[in-house]
Amino acid sequence: MATLDNSKTWIRKDPARLDPQPNLLNYEATRAGFDWSQAWRMLDGLPAGGYNIAHEAVDRHVFGGRADRIAIRWIGKSGEVRELSYRDLARETNRFANALVKLGVAPGERVFVLTGRIPELYITVLGALKARCVVSPLFSAFGPEPIATRAEMGDARVLVTTPALYRRKVAGLRERLSGLRHVIVVGEECEGADDVQPWSSLMENVSADFTIAATDPEEAALLHFTSGTTGRPKGALHVHGAVAAHHVTGVYALDLHDDDIFWCTADPGWVTGTSYGIIAPLTSGVTNLVVEAEFDPQTWYSVLERERVSVWYTAPTAIRMMMKLGTDFVKSYSFPRLRFMASVGEPLNSEAVVWGEQAFGIPFHDNWWQTETGGIMIGNLATLDIKPGSMGRPLPGIEAGIVRRDANGGVAVIEEPMVEGELALKKGWPSMMRGYLHEEERYRKCFAGDWYLTGDLAKRDGDGYFWFVGRGDDVVKSAGHLIGPFEVENALMEHPAVAEAAIIGKPDPTMGELVKAFVTLKPGHAGDDAMRRELIGFARKRLGAAVAPKELDFRANLPKTRSGKIMRRLLKARELGLPEGDLSTLESDET
Ligand code: ATP
Ligand code: MG
């Protein structure tokens, strides 16, 4: 076994023993021979011409012999189940597309959804795409202000919501949202609100047949707001042609097979919940499980067991919360069909990857991408050996590089392995955003020549694996060293008492910045001085005194975005008594 920098061993794969055979059997050969025309050929294309996401996700299965397959299996909060076959989904989305046309909503106009994970959300997204409207799903937990800002920024014409959310959050915004012409509510009628339309009557009075008009693959389809981890969220616009990347990455990075039961735990309010919570599984014709309830380990384990989930896509925060409760708890369940587990959104510490093997018998496969890239760019794939702590390797069709910006707005590619630089991607994959809403200049600044600059720092090792270092904004500059938060956090999380860790750079007169850690502990451990000394000592041994934290505080929780990302900028602002900035996506608070 080879040894890594962080002294963890590789997790070896034997593709010949994997059952079913992985879609991407030979990474090197597939990558070498890949061009995007292959991805387009995996799709159907519209009878009327062009490509439309909803046709590839729904209608083509109806004509292609999968009409009776369950497309969406929905588990409600109190355990109720609703199933939609591909035929049902085609019919309902046709109805919703017809309803939009009947309301006079034109192609290109924006349809926002604020409902929580209910079947109507999926019908709205796909139906609006059929009508060639641009869809923007919002987190239902957003308060009125984040809803208003996004709806204003995105010029929402239609909003689909529920009576409760309408009353609590939207009713007071109607005057402000002057462009919002139609509010459609799912569920019992909204008492006292005569400016809303009930979903049921709208859907009753329209035909279940709809022909999608020719759709240019460059037509706008989705508007997604970024997580707001580093500042005010940006609105990234994506096109119908993105479906080629959604599909092929679902096939290669999530290894989706025909008979899979797939569960993506992300909410469609952030891009993972749409690209992989709606589009990719449906284009592959699998059964897409939708769970309405929020995270709770017991519920999740029961869902995995009872629903016989075979492919599971989740996030580091949830994984770390499960780890906190221990391996024995997982082992009281059984998951005989579970064969692939993936994670995205934040760096996945090496402990968590390996814990997957101990608890579930298979490792977690970390992958990297952003709202802007629309789909998975770098990943640990079914057939590739895993180096725990690494994001994996670029997908077929994706060229990734480590670059250094120069003073003239250009970049130089760093060829040497294990040298830190900015992670950059060669332009040309179909799911790349086509712009930041109302921020032309910011969009332009993301590019240097052929490269898209991601704003994240990373390094590539001699075997072509990529290692996340940190977000450009979060890197700590201490006594002449550039310290990536992930390396320090990863080391701290190797200590058995540590559940989560976040690092910030704190201004210091001699060092420029010093490394300060915020730590949450697993149950049964006390955050006292002895523990503080022990953790700092532990990190020193692993990282050396220059990189290990100089200060360390304990917290009951770390502040996170609604998509589960640690907001280091907020820890920093609070530490330094600075303005807290945009908090619209803040979920749990530490105080
Ligand atoms: P904002 O751009 O508004 O600050 P955000 O960058 O968190 O928010 P997203 O597009 O949702 O918004 O998240 C993408 C970012 O999440 C990546 O740029 C990266 O920093 C981080 N990320 C995603 N996956 C991984 C991963 N596997 N390892 C490390 N970081 C990841
Ligand atoms: Mg970002």
Side-chain angles (χ1 to χ4, degrees):
M1 278 206 192
T3 305
L4 295 178
D5 298 347
N6 63 0
S7 70
K8 283 270 180 290
T9 44
W10 299 47
I11 296 173
R12 295 287 185 188
K13 301 283 190 66
D14 179 358
R17 292 185 51 203
L18 294 171
D19 181 28
Q21 196 178 70
N23 293 320
L24 183 59
L25 211 45
N26 186 330
Y27 171 80
E28 303 290 352
T30 308
R31 221 180 118 64
F34 187 88
D35 79 74
W36 280 101
S37 65
Q38 292 168 18
W40 293 107
R41 282 200 298 275
M42 290 160 95
L43 301 176
D44 201 20
L46 272 178
Y51 288 85
N52 184 296
I53 294 174
H55 173 82
E56 304 302 334
V58 187
D59 291 0
R60 75 156 159 159
H61 301 306
V62 178
F63 308 121
R66 284 204 192 102
D68 295 319
R69 181 103 220 264
I70 299 305
I72 291 179
R73 182 171 156 86
W74 175 79
I75 319 284
K77 274 191 186 133
S78 24
E80 66 274 38
V81 172
R82 220 175 117 189
E83 290 188 334
L84 289 162
S85 66
Y86 279 93
R87 191 197 310 281
D88 299 333
L89 193 57
R91 191 187 56 231
E92 295 306 305
T93 51
N94 283 348
R95 282 214 171 98
F96 189 70
N98 279 320
L100 289 174
V101 172
K102 198 166 161 190
L103 291 173
V105 182
E109 292 193 314
R110 311 254 166 80
V111 175
F112 277 58
V113 202
L114 177 82
T115 58
R117 289 182 298 278
I118 57 174
E120 286 78 4
L121 160 67
Y122 298 78
I123 295 167
T124 299
V125 170
L126 294 160
L129 290 172
K130 285 187 169 180
R132 293 163 53 224
C133 295
V134 179
V135 192
S136 188
L138 297 178
F139 277 109
S140 59
F142 277 155
E145 191 51 41
I147 295 168
T149 323
R150 285 162 182 74
E152 265 175 339
M153 241 174 107
D155 193 16
R157 192 69 71 239
V158 178
L159 175 70
V160 177
T161 186
T162 64
L165 290 168
Y166 182 79
R167 274 192 298 270
R168 286 209 325 267
K169 303 181 177 183
V170 183
L173 302 172
R174 289 304 292 271
E175 265 180 41
R176 179 164 161 196
L177 301 176
S178 53
L180 182 61
R181 261 188 245 126
H182 308 282
V183 176
I184 300 166
V185 291
V186 181
E188 85 279 13
E189 280 183 45
C190 240
E191 265 173 52
D194 47 14
D195 52 356
V196 302
Q197 316 186 38
W199 168 276
S200 51
S201 58
L202 205 64
M203 294 286 276
E204 253 165 39
N205 301 319
V206 286
S207 157
D209 295 320
F210 184 85
T211 304
I212 305 177
T215 309
D216 185 329
E218 281 303 307
E219 250 181 62
L222 296 157
L223 169 63
H224 266 296
F225 292 91
T226 59
S227 287
T229 315
T230 54
R232 196 166 61 85
K234 298 147 273 190
L237 268 169
H238 291 279
V239 296
H240 275 279
V243 66
H246 296 144
H247 180 72
V248 85
T249 52
V251 169
Y252 286 156
L254 300 176
D255 196 35
L256 292 176
H257 282 65
D258 225 23
D259 58 348
D260 271 324
I261 311 274
F262 172 71
W263 183 24
C264 168
T265 59
D267 188 278
W270 88 287
V271 70
T272 303
T274 303
S275 295
Y276 299 98
I278 306 179
I279 304 169
L282 296 181
T283 62
S284 275
V286 309
T287 293
N288 190 32
L289 196 65
V290 175
V291 178
E292 188 186 21
E294 293 308 327
F295 175 77
D296 161 65
Q298 203 161 346
T299 314
W300 278 27
Y301 295 149
S302 319
V303 166
L304 286 168
E305 181 179 67
R306 199 186 51 237
E307 300 297 329
R308 301 171 59 76
V309 171
S310 53
V311 179
W312 184 32
Y313 195 18
T314 188
T317 303
I319 297 169
R320 288 194 288 263
M321 279 160 80
M322 291 184 276
M323 287 173 75
K324 221 169 157 176
L325 292 175
T327 311
D328 290 349
F329 189 30
V330 189
K331 292 215 182 269
S332 59
Y333 296 82
S334 83
F335 318 104
R337 267 205 73 185
L338 189 61
R339 65 175 170 82
F340 192 78
M341 309 196 297
S343 161
V344 71
E346 279 214 304
L348 187 66
N349 48 309
S350 36
E351 284 300 301
V353 175
V354 176
W355 181 75
E357 282 211 306
Q358 292 159 6
F360 295 92
I362 44 175
F364 282 104
H365 294 73
D366 183 26
N367 57 53
W368 178 97
W369 59 291
Q370 309 176 303
T371 309
E372 289 85 341
T373 70
I376 301 169
M377 300 282 107
I378 297 177
N380 287 286
L381 311 177
T383 38
L384 288 180
D385 295 336
I386 297 178
K387 301 190 188 191
S390 156
M391 314 192 280
R393 302 186 66 185
L395 261 66
I398 302 302
E399 195 180 327
I402 302 294
V403 306
R404 192 176 292 124
R405 298 194 194 211
D406 65 30
N408 312 318
V411 290
V413 177
I414 303 171
E415 301 291 354
E416 225 179 307
M418 292 315 266
V419 175
E420 285 172 22
E422 186 164 357
L423 177 62
L425 304 162
K426 269 273 171 71
K427 291 194 287 195
W429 70 96
S431 64
M432 177 56 181
M433 68 164 166
R434 297 299 192 271
Y436 281 133
L437 203 61
H438 313 309
E439 292 189 278
E440 230 343 91
E441 180 60 18
R442 184 175 209 163
Y443 174 70
R444 249 200 321 275
K445 282 195 177 143
C446 294
F447 299 94
D450 280 349
W451 292 101
Y452 162 66
L453 305 170
T454 66
D456 284 349
L457 300 183
K459 48 196 175 184
R460 185 189 48 225
D461 69 18
D463 297 315
Y465 283 69
F466 283 73
W467 298 78
F468 184 76
V469 171
R471 291 161 180 275
D473 292 357
D474 290 339
V475 165
V476 183
K477 297 167 196 83
S478 185
H481 299 279
L482 282 183
I483 301 171
F486 179 46
E487 188 182 16
V488 185
E489 292 161 4
N490 193 33
L492 283 168
M493 282 185 281
E494 284 180 17
H495 189 283
V498 175
E500 278 190 308
I503 295 301
I504 64 161
K506 183 175 168 181
D508 179 86
T510 48
M511 285 182 281
E513 285 184 313
L514 63 76
V515 176
K516 168 142 197 179
F518 296 88
V519 165
T520 67
L521 295 174
K522 290 185 184 157
H525 298 278
D528 52 20
D529 271 348
M531 179 63 84
R532 177 177 294 114
R533 276 194 302 276
E534 175 169 335
L535 293 182
I536 292 180
F538 180 84
R540 276 205 183 143
K541 267 199 215 112
R542 278 174 165 61
L543 302 164
V547 177
K550 295 268 182 304
E551 291 184 15
L552 188 147
D553 280 355
F554 297 103
R555 291 282 188 272
N557 289 299
L558 298 176
K560 303 216 178 83
T561 66
R562 297 201 176 281
S563 49
K565 293 159 192 282
I566 297 173
M567 291 170 103
R568 293 174 189 78
R569 70 166 160 105
L570 187 54
L571 284 169
K572 188 163 180 169
R574 287 177 176 170
E575 177 73 19
L576 307 181
L578 297 173
E580 296 193 338
D582 185 297
L583 297 184
S584 62
T585 61
L586 177 66
E587 176 164 66
S588 59
D589 211 343
E590 54 165 343
T591 44

